[in-house]
Amino acid sequence: MSALTVGLGAIATVAIALQAPWVAILLARLWAGLKRPQPLQPQPSCLANLGTVTIVVPTLNEAQRLQPCLEGLMRQGYEVREILIVDSHSRDGTADMVRAAQQRDPRLRLEFDPPLPKGWVGRPWALHTGFCRAHPQSQWILGIDADTQPQPGLVASLLHTAAADGLDVVSLSPQFILKSAGEWWLQPALLITLIYRFGAARVVESQPERILANGQCLLIRRSLLEQLQGYSAARSSFCDDVTLVRTAAARGARVGFRDGSRLLKVRMYEGMAETWREWGRSLDLKDATPVAQVWGDVYFLWAVQGLPLPLFLLTLAGLTAAPPLLPLQLAMLLNGGLLLIRMAMMVAIAPVYDWHHRQGSAFFWLSPFADFLAVWRISLSSGQRPKQWRGRQYSAV
């Protein structure tokens, strides 16, 4: 038996030993997806919810993408008492855009947040400012990001879901708008890192340390926010949405994360490079997660997403150049199975993309070839704390 054969057999044996336990965890998480709640549907306005919601939109130099968000919010029903645009003193005409929109909808109100206090990140500070200035009769606070495109019936659907499932917090995943081949190739691989780590959403999330939330659309009961002293629990977090929601869940709040692809669209980043830089550095969720869990998730992602394609190709090449050793055969079957799961996941997540923007969309089906890079990006981010975010510079906070 040649040295090459012995070496390949050893690699295959180690791969099986390191991957197999994590494959079982992955299968358990994905299996639970068969019972996940169905995507939320738009709902008509309900008179009982008249004026119960204050919407808060934090902005900083958002003039290039705020208009679709404003248009969508102005189409919401009479559940919305007010729409507070909390601007961090933008210099690109954001405030003028809001003032123009105010002429069409009196619910819009432009606010400016005070200077950023030490120890706070800009986004939670703006949301906290909006919470503090919300009308006292609003029962719910809905945080919405400026890059979203709310669809009609969004707010009514959120309130309907909260009432039906007895939730204190409702967060939505959006439908993504991608416009280049690079985005279509990389972004789905990054999204899969979230699905693999957190699995499918349950009716009520029961494990605070594994809860996922999306601050692009986060409805929270006002009384709960008062108990939490607003957004102060997430003041220094670059994943403030997850930090806030996990804190709330740990105190007994009922949290739900739903598929909102029929209610909310989002154009997050412009191009592959910005997607890699901006989204990639927050997906590790380290500000809301114990260190051991962060690095355990990194190990898990390498085992079930980052390495299956290279290991499958390596074992396949080994079987053509060496005797059919059992470890090589088992490793090829294991990683081949993981690749089949990954391909099935592409079909499963296809509805969360807006296919009307088809330029480069064929690269979506090649996204498994970006898995190694996606996991590498999470690994890099897990050991680094951002120093710049949305145009602001941060020291240690």
Side-chain angles (χ1 to χ4, degrees), residues 182-261:
E183 293 175 71
W184 280 105
W185 184 64
L186 178 62
Q187 199 271 2
L190 290 168
L191 179 62
I192 288 292
T193 68
L194 291 173
I195 297 173
Y196 276 14
R197 278 181 287 166
F198 300 102
R202 300 167 181 82
V203 174
V204 180
E205 300 293 347
S206 57
Q207 295 178 285
E209 71 280 3
R210 304 303 305 185
I211 286 177
L212 187 62
N214 178 20
Q216 292 169 331
C217 180
L218 181 62
L219 179 75
I220 185 166
R221 200 180 295 274
R222 186 200 188 109
S223 58
L224 173 60
L225 265 181
E226 290 171 347
Q227 294 174 27
L228 298 173
Q229 298 183 339
Y231 293 80
S232 59
R235 59 183 174 271
S236 62
S237 176
F238 287 98
C239 56
D240 56 278
D241 45 5
V242 178
T243 300
L244 181 72
V245 170
R246 289 183 179 179
T247 301
R251 298 190 183 186
R254 290 172 60 86
V255 175
F257 186 59
R258 297 289 187 271
D259 181 345
S261 56

Side-chain angles (χ1 to χ4, degrees), residues 30-41:
L30 297 182
W31 180 259
L34 297 176
K35 298 181 180 179
R36 69 187 185 279
Q38 294 297 308
L40 296 189
Q41 302 292 333

Side-chain angles (χ1 to χ4, degrees), residues 160-179:
H160 174 81
T161 302
D165 296 333
L167 300 174
D168 302 300
V169 182
V170 187
S171 182
L172 299 185
S173 61
Q175 185 176 76
F176 298 100
I177 299 173
L178 308 179
K179 295 185 178 181

Side-chain angles (χ1 to χ4, degrees), residues 311-372:
L311 287 174
F312 177 79
L313 295 175
L314 179 64
T315 53
L316 181 62
L319 285 172
T320 62
L325 296 177
L326 181 60
L328 284 174
Q329 294 173 324
L330 292 177
M332 188 182 73
L333 288 174
L334 178 65
N335 288 284
L338 286 167
L339 290 176
L340 288 175
I341 291 172
R342 178 63 173 85
M343 288 187 281
M345 290 304 301
M346 285 192 292
V347 177
I349 68 172
V352 306
Y353 292 93
D354 186 346
W355 291 90
H356 293 97
H357 300 272
R358 302 192 67 87
Q359 183 175 353
S361 61
F363 281 78
F364 170 82
W365 304 105
L366 298 177
S367 64
F369 291 93
D371 282 353
F372 187 95

